[in-house]
């Protein structure tokens, strides 16, 4: 995770949550008061966001001590003491919510990803994320997917070629679109084509697409497509995969399954900070 | 919703998703190609984020036409044509994902809020949000809560006084904390105290707190607290309210119920963009 | 005072004053030359801005030693050695003007506020600032008011409700305006109404305004208003208070007096830096 | 005045004053309400800041109509209608304070400058500003000085050579310092030397300084210095000139008089906005 | 070319060149003076940067008329009138240098690229750029390469996999490095390996690298490598290609040739602006 | 060189080159791997940019050790070990290209400047740069000119007065233009006039211009002009000086020669980083 980017996200979040300081603490807590506390897991899942929490408190006050007992990717059970913190009360109380919001969100994504990965662990298939991310948090969310054991699809429109139906319409045919992309896109990028029928799969194959996405197909259709492709291209299953039977999809032989819900429909992992003054 | 802030959120999101342009479209679609499309609701809920979607496309290309048939707060059913769009293909395809991500997320929040508001509509109670928001998106999320019929709790640590257990410990007692806050906080702010027992409620009352929060109390405890307070302070119910029976909580006579899940555990409303070239 | 904000103010100021470095020093002083110096008070007043001065030099050069003998809020007399500084000549000479400009301005505000506070010290009344501040420096100026013993009115339009004549006109009546605000404003905010006549005071009282501002009233009118209100609302005196007899105003029994001149018409405290090479 | 810079100043000011919008207006004024108003002068002075006021409202709402009857530099009397404004109530009320704060401050500087210029109008002398400006507002303040008829001294440490006592000490002598500067400074810059005695004036002359500053000298000393210099260098009088008899100083024959108080000790011109809904 | 990015580059450039305005013009040209002018080519080459020039003047003054007679990619001869401009003198003179600096630099790159492309036009080979670009201008420089008929290699370290000797050392072998990359890199990216010997080429082939770079090989070695690879991977020639005989390199059968000098050693195309007042 | 500015340039460059990290290294190099390396000169020239290289690695990772054996201004020969580096492999490989791009570019400028300075070392003449710089890098480029032994002309349009033909046309005559500038420009600036004929030189002299630029004159014309001026103004030779015989120009007696090519047509000095894992 890029430190500069993380710092900018945190600066935005802290400005949003405490742009003029934490009034309540400033009014009720004596300057210089020292406190200690523990970050506790209240649910079951996968930790993600330790660096984000560290960066929040480092941003506010370089004298805060924050010691993690678990690291990103570790499984958590209710009651686990994730980390211990000590230092100036104003700094800790000012950063508490921002640190928790980030860590809960990222851990929620890592947990959901881990569940998907576990479900299909008997198949040689990768779980992928999508671009259905929260505006401003994509880098953190894609990091959380990796921590959960998933893989990242392209980061943005600028670093991958994914030819969808609109591009196909605009170019006239899959063949035209793939040919155009091969001539003009950076030669370091693979070319992926989205298909909805076996006929489209065949056309993408003929055009020598590097990756073929099977969009919203039934399990039967996916099996046929995988057979047809015969390892001549990478195969990605896509379309509402958050609500599908992932094992059945994996069993079709696809190489990867992309799931928008990993980042689009996040159930945060419940983490709290218990303080002692 | 503040336009400058919205613009900055969108700039961040577009830089993230298309910092170097939409390669696929640039490679496969002829410059100058015009397209039209429709934003369709695929679920049932409350629209929110029309301005955000407009701002995304206005940011990319001032010649895009985007005409909304519904406005923020309107109920949506599957199949509803939310808006129609036409203009340059590159601009529309570049902004599509960012506009959808924002609108789905905000509509998800408005929908969830509306459900809570509807549940308690027979009681004179307000549904409130919290500071459990997505870093960087708080202003948009709090706007969505209002569109859903909810009310906003304080925006940040800097514009409200909410005395929690840590502040009470640090100040020595509720009385001390409230007194300190009354002397030092901006006199335009009400003073809220978080309580977990009736004894604390009584102490907060005696200290003349303006608002008393009942945190994680049972319905019975809340009834007793409301009785004890006797309208001498505003009463807020809080604590896992996303998983509670809201009608039972409302029936206790509290003035407002704050629900972290409104913004913390968002199920996006499914909206898609269907294009025609 | 928020460190990040202070840092941004200082970055702007230094870019403005030394964006391409201090040419004269670079041309005439040998690199590596060490100097020492003293910040001297040349007037009588209240020190404010020590942290700002520290931040200026810390920003330029972390090896500068700057040791304050007085702290914010301390009274100063002509000749007092406020602080001693030593380190690299280029850094000190580059930061000198910016540090002095900030410290003189903030000390000027604290001094003026202290004078007002002293004048009314026999009355239970708070001296308040307003939003008549220097663009970009509000946070520092409001901090200086607090250091001088004053209190802060709302920080901005976004964190307080102050219903003025225009709002009353637009809403149709004070009653309508207060009712609307009570229904729609964050419930953590008190509602203040600006009044110019006793009839308006009565209407604001009836509408249960939390704070009633008496704008540009005579001392006699203020006395009547305070009587009429009878502690059912907080009373704020306002309107050219910088030119009024503050003791007479305080004697009317108002709870607070807001003075735009505290920040709007600042006489800087004369502070200089005497260097020795 | 640079438009981009002005825009950035205004963005900072509006974020500061209305980062989350104008709550009171949003709560009490019906969306879409149109209002008109007049900016009135309540004092006597010189208008400055019309462009700043225009930029504030243009930033908030491009549909606001703002029509100035006076322009920067025009004299104002109490009661003069400086400008008329009409448009959306939310936009006008949100920008009111920021526009007034800027215009009052800049007009205060222009007024003070004009007074100084008038005082010495019978002498061929320029009134100059200094670097004693408000952090972040230097460009606007120096513009206001020009509008008042004054001239600008160097903008910053980066674009002028002014050799002060510290530089002289560090270089060993005025001669050394001037020689070093002549060899190393951009050859487009004149070289100015600060002097406190006639002996120093003589040394600066011998070193062929382009400009000689007479710092804190008596009128008699200044006369002698002017005589000694005999037009071989430009002569600047400096040092507490805000409290000096400017006509006597001008009569000594100096070419310019720099006055820190022009920007350092600003008495704002009283301007108000009267609205009609 | 991304408009937002271009705007930011231009803002930086104009702040650098005219942060406080164009003093000379402000001092000598009457406000409101209108001028016209012509951008003339004084050399032979390929135009690039019309949009950049347009954006410079649009940024300064939306009323400037700038009409291009040539567009990006068009060949230029000495004397060609590239564009005509008319409008406010201050705006045009302020933007002149920035517009010329950008257009000359970008046209220089396009011209150099076109020369390389022409040299090898009889071979099915692409001319590629590298990451040896000017800090802050990469997007504009890579655009200029495309305008010249070249293709872009990866934009940055973040969007391509290029395994160099250091990675190979760190991973233990080419095989290990490729295997690691295949498992961990975004699956949308091709994997490129840098080789210096035929043995390394063979190992890269065996590891199924998608692209094999031949670094600093002789023409003979390149021929052998191309033969060995037998179209099983894309072949890129690299290493001081700016000083090599490009036709001989192309004749070896490589698929592309990357040339750092295209952007690293730019000879600007001479373009001037002749004005008439 | 201003540290803040340098930091911003580097942040921009690193965001451009590694905004989402160095994928290849992250995929192939084990976290925590330590490496060492040497920056080697592969050409002959003048080192410039050591601070820039240090700032790149300090920005990425404060634990990188970077030890320079040469400093800015030192001559380099092929094979010289400029510096040694050691630390975390990810950090070093991520910063390598940015550090090299900056150092090669700046050293190229210093080298070219040194060559010009050496050529005319027998004459009392300064070599000057111009405003023909790379957008965003002017401060670094002008620093490199100084390191090479050259002097800087004005930094920007905002800090120097250079009256060109367009200004003369607009003002009506050289006399008018100089008079206007003398009255309105900051009095700290010298006034320079561009001339193309002896008649213009005479007029500039009569108007008491401080500096007279001889633009595109022959050596004979320059000799005549220098004679005519007779040390009553500083004389600058300008116009394609990169392609002229500098010794012949210097021999005419001009005071300085400005050369756009110093920064406009940069041949980078070849520097490489050899690593050992």
């Amino acid at each position: 995770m890029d430190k500069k980017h993380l710092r900018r996200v945190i600066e935005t979040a802290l400005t949003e949550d405490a742009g003029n300081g934490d009034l309540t603490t400033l009014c009720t807590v004596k300057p210089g008061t020292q406190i200690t506390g523990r970050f506790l897991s209240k649910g079951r899942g996968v930790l993600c966001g330790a660096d984000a929490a560290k960066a929040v408190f480092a941003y506010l006050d370089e004298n805060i001590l924050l010691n993690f007992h678990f690291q990103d990717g570790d499984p958590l059970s209710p009651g686990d003491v994730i980390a211990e913190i000590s230092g100036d009360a104003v700094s800790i109380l000012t950063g508490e919510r921002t640190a928790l919001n980030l860590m809960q969100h990222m851990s929620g994504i890592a947990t959901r990803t881990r569940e998907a990965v576990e479900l299909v662990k008997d198949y040689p298939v990768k779980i992928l994320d999508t671009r259905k991310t929260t505006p401003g948090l994509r880098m953190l969310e894609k990091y959380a997917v990796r921590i959960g054991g998933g893989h990242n699809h392209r980061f943005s429109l600028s670093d991958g070629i994914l030819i969808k139906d609109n591009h196909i319409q605009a170019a006239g045919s899959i063949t035209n679109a793939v040919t155009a992309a091969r001539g003009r896109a950076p030669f370091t990028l693979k070319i992926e084509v989205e298909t909805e029928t076996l006929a489209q799969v065949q056309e993408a194959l003929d055009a020598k697409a590097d990756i073929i996405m099977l969009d919203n197909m039934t399990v039967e259709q996916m099996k046929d497509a995988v057979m047809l492709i015969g390892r001549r291209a990478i195969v990605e299953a896509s379309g509402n995969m958050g609500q599908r039977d992932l094992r059945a999809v994996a069993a079709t032989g696809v190489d990867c399954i992309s799931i928008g819900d990993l980042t689009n429909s996040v159930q945060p992992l419940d983490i709290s900070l218990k303080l002692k003054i």
Side-chain angles (χ1 to χ4, degrees), chain A:
Chain A
M1 205 165 28
D2 184 59
K3 279 180 203 171
K4 292 163 300 179
H5 179 76
L6 179 57
R7 193 175 166 88
R8 243 173 278 141
V9 168
I10 282 167
E11 185 167 55
T12 299
L14 285 172
T15 298
E16 190 180 67
D17 194 38
N20 293 340
D22 174 358
L23 283 187
T24 309
T25 301
L26 293 171
C27 290
T28 60
V29 179
K30 216 175 120 185
T33 302
Q34 300 294 302
I35 58 178
T36 61
R38 298 161 150 212
F39 285 92
L40 298 173
S41 175
K42 299 170 78 174
R44 190 169 301 279
V46 175
L47 177 65
C48 188
D51 283 344
K54 285 177 198 163
V56 166
F57 293 106
Y59 187 92
L60 289 167
D61 178 350
E62 53 190 22
N63 295 318
I64 295 292
L65 294 179
L66 176 53
N67 185 24
F68 271 81
H69 303 177
F70 290 81
Q71 50 184 312
D72 283 6
D74 284 351
L76 294 175
S77 302
D80 281 343
V81 178
I82 300 171
E84 291 181 299
I85 191 167
S86 62
D88 182 70
V90 173
S91 304
I92 292 177
L93 291 168
T94 303
E96 173 185 7
R97 183 78 265 141
T98 298
L100 287 175
N101 282 352
L102 283 167
M103 211 160 29
Q104 290 185 355
H105 186 76
M106 293 169 76
S107 297
I109 293 172
T111 300
R112 173 79 186 259
T113 306
R114 177 74 53 89
E115 288 165 8
V117 168
E118 286 296 316
L119 264 178
V120 299
K121 71 179 169 194
D122 298 333
Y123 300 90
V125 68
K126 291 178 178 175
I127 296 296
L128 298 178
D129 55 24
T130 67
R131 285 172 43 245
K132 295 186 178 176
T133 58
T134 311
L137 298 184
R138 183 171 290 173
M139 201 179 292
L140 276 62
E141 294 183 341
K142 287 196 165 246
Y143 168 79
V145 166
R146 293 199 301 276
I147 288 298
H151 289 75
N152 296 147
H153 206 298
R154 61 175 170 174
F155 186 79
S156 77
L157 290 171
S158 302
D159 58 9
I161 300 291
L162 173 42
I163 297 172
K164 299 197 174 190
D165 50 354
N166 298 306
H167 306 107
I168 296 168
Q169 276 186 59
S173 69
I174 287 178
T175 312
N176 290 354
V178 173
T179 305
R182 185 162 298 121
R184 302 177 60 189
F187 82 118
T188 55
L189 298 178
K190 290 181 185 159
I191 294 173
E192 177 168 9
V193 177
E194 182 184 290
T195 63
E196 296 181 3
T197 65
L198 281 189
Q200 286 184 313
V201 171
Q202 182 65 55
E203 191 178 349
L205 262 182
D206 292 345
K208 297 198 191 301
D210 298 298
I211 311 171
I212 296 176
M213 178 198 284
L214 312 179
D215 193 36
N216 277 315
M217 290 193 186
T218 63
V219 163
E220 285 313 307
Q221 287 173 305
M222 287 193 263
K223 274 186 194 160
D224 292 348
V226 168
M227 190 91 60
L228 177 58
I229 294 167
R231 312 229 65 79
R232 285 174 291 171
I234 298 170
V235 187
E236 173 186 347
S238 183
N240 267 316
M241 287 293 154
Q243 274 75 50
R244 300 284 291 268
D245 175 350
L246 288 183
R247 293 181 58 87
V249 174
T252 63
V254 296
D255 298 294
C256 33
I257 304 173
S258 58
I259 309 177
D261 281 4
L262 293 186
T263 53
N264 192 33
S265 175
V266 180
Q267 181 67 28
L269 184 65
D270 198 356
I271 299 174
S272 71
L273 175 58
K274 287 295 161 203
L275 294 167
K276 238 184 339 201
I277 293 189

